Amino acid sequence: MHERDRLVGHRDVFSREMRQVRTDVVRMGELVSSAIDASVGALSRMDSQAATAVVAQDGRINLAQTELSSLIITTIATQSPVAGDLRFLISLSHVSYELERIGDHAAGVARHTLRLLGSSRDGRLAGNTGLDRLGELASNVLHGVLLALIDMDVEAARRVAAQDDEIDRLYHAYFGRTLERMREEPGWVDVGAHLLFAAKDLERIGDRVTNIAEEVVFLSTGVVEDLNP
């Protein structure tokens, strides 16, 4: 094979692997987004079947992240990318990690839903959990940051990250109300504990989304920017 043909073949392989990394990140994002929506819905409806499905799906998300990390490591080792291409691969590796952790938080919400439903009494006591708005906002920011990542839209990423303040505000208000009820109603302590753990999982999604937004900024500009100082 002539040297020119070898170099062309090398570039073709590299281009194909770069496209595959991007495609796999988008697919992983879709899996995680579905998991969040399903877990929030399961908690709102106290739906054991939907919660069980979210927990089961977490294994798919973990596998997707493992396979994506392996592809990125192989591409870096065999293709020796430089400058922007290396930045792209490292950033998407960070994004895949954050997505996997968000998947864990979705599974956490689902597991606490199942624990509440483990006792029919606890399920009845939970009633309206009061977490609908926090869950809706956590889902919205994840959808938003995935769109910003696909479009490489820096301003959209910054707008999404700014919404983490509202998630934090809702979480702290919910935490205070729930603790107060737990003090007033000792029989509601177990329910309140599970709801607080679920609320914390939802709050952490906002933090993880902010980390992804920072990677979008870095990918687009090459500048490391703290979007939640």
Side-chain angles (χ1 to χ4, degrees), residues 40-60:
V40 168
L43 178 64
S44 177
R45 300 187 308 273
M46 283 290 143
D47 184 336
S48 63
Q49 186 173 356
T52 299
V54 172
V55 174
Q57 182 172 308
D58 191 45
R60 289 182 61 197

Side-chain angles (χ1 to χ4, degrees), residues 202-223:
L202 294 172
E203 186 270 336
R204 289 294 291 144
I205 290 169
D207 297 334
R208 300 288 180 184
V209 164
T210 297
N211 292 343
I212 294 174
E214 290 173 353
E215 292 298 335
V216 173
V217 173
F218 179 65
L219 268 170
S220 300
T221 67
V223 175

Side-chain angles (χ1 to χ4, degrees), residues 185-201:
E185 301 179 37
W188 201 75
V189 168
D190 286 346
V191 173
H194 287 303
L195 292 177
L196 284 178
F197 281 124
K200 185 61 179 177
D201 275 315

Side-chain angles (χ1 to χ4, degrees), residues 73-140:
I73 290 169
T74 299
T75 301
I76 291 174
T78 60
Q79 305 298 327
S80 301
V82 295
D85 290 333
L86 183 60
R87 184 170 75 212
F88 174 87
L89 290 169
I90 291 174
S91 289
L92 289 193
S93 178
H94 293 163
V95 169
S96 75
Y97 170 77
E98 297 296 342
L99 288 173
E100 189 273 333
R101 297 297 294 130
I102 293 173
D104 288 343
H105 292 308
V109 172
R111 287 189 179 97
H112 287 295
T113 300
L114 290 171
R115 286 165 187 155
L116 282 166
L117 289 166
S119 163
S120 59
R121 179 175 179 274
D122 283 352
R124 289 195 306 274
L125 283 173
N128 181 355
T129 66
L131 283 170
D132 288 356
R133 178 57 185 152
L134 183 58
E136 178 185 10
L137 194 52
S139 174
N140 288 346

Side-chain angles (χ1 to χ4, degrees), residues 10-25 68 71-72 75-76 79 81-90 92 219:
H10 180 80
R11 284 196 298 270
D12 286 345
V13 170
F14 182 53
S15 295
R16 186 167 62 249
E17 289 181 352
M18 293 286 278
R19 287 194 302 271
Q20 189 63 50
V21 167
R22 184 182 178 87
T23 297
D24 287 354
V25 168
L68 182 54
L71 174 59
I72 289 172
T75 301
I76 291 174
Q79 305 298 327
V82 295
D85 290 333
L86 183 60
R87 184 170 75 212
F88 174 87
L89 290 169
I90 291 174
L92 289 193
L219 268 170

